[in-house]
Amino acid sequence: MDGRKKHGVWTLSARPVGVIATMKTLVIETSTAACSVALIQSTISGDTVIASAHEVVGRGHAERLIPMIAELPDGGRANRILVDCGPGSFTGVRVGIAAARGLAFGWGAEVHGFSALPLVAAAALAVRPLLDNLAVVLEGGHGEVFMQTFEANPLRPAGPFASLRPEAALATLSGRAAVGNGTRHLATLATDLDLTDQLPEAASAILLTGEFIALPARPIYGRAPDAKPAASKIIAA
């Protein structure tokens, strides 16, 4: 999704003219089986994705993320970093946030979070602008999916996200089109659905606005972690 954004309704930064003539934003997306990065340049004329990379790595985010960032222009150095905070892969999300915080510290950059759910919704609506609403369905683990519905024009959540069994997600769909890498679980339950299998891509962050890109850079958990700390043992003196 390289190129200058159209329609003139989006800026990655509400910066006063003359304070920062050119701003760069590094986007890190590691919440699914994909590892994705993008470098977005913002000027008073608009925003442009100047470089991006997207690989399906499974669980290899720790090995691929930093090399992918290093291959961007100027090693991906930016004034600001946006990182996907989930919900999604526990390991992938933590790898992305750790990298974002480390780079932000080294570069003196600001860091903010976003979620893959509106990211995927924005990308899908850009391709299908006639849709009034849709559902994003992402892999959730343990046979569940992370699901959230969105309204279009402007993009806004129709409700909170939830971790659901596929049967419950299908019931919640209510005839909407669904997009995301969790839609395969719905495809086995019905044949007359409008489904698109899609992974989030960092470059799609150019479509997000406002509070969607102003989350704290900390994990968003869709369900409780698999491993829980053991209860502390009290030893009597």
Side-chain angles (χ1 to χ4, degrees), residues 30 40 44 46 57 68 81 85 104 109-110 123 125 129 131 139 145 157 176 178 195-197 207 223 231 233:
T30 55
I40 299 173
I44 58 175
V57 299
M68 288 174 69
I81 301 173
C85 296
E110 59 183 272
L125 290 170
L131 287 178
E139 289 278 2
V145 295
R176 296 181 182 88
L195 305 177
T196 303
D197 189 343
L207 299 170
R223 54 183 172 78
K233 295 182 179 180

Side-chain angles (χ1 to χ4, degrees), residues 170-189:
L170 180 61
T172 305
L173 197 58
S174 301
R176 296 181 182 88
V179 60
N181 68 331
T183 56
R184 64 185 183 89
H185 296 288
L186 306 186
T188 63
L189 302 176

Side-chain angles (χ1 to χ4, degrees), residues 183-236:
T183 56
R184 64 185 183 89
H185 296 288
L186 306 186
T188 63
L189 302 176
T191 59
D192 59 343
L193 303 176
D194 184 349
L195 305 177
T196 303
D197 189 343
Q198 183 175 322
L199 289 166
E201 294 197 30
S204 300
I206 199 170
L207 299 170
L208 295 179
T209 63
E211 61 187 26
F212 285 127
I213 52 172
L215 302 179
R218 58 174 180 259
I220 300 170
Y221 294 117
R223 54 183 172 78
D226 299 332
K228 297 182 179 180
S232 299
K233 295 182 179 180
I234 301 177
I235 303 175

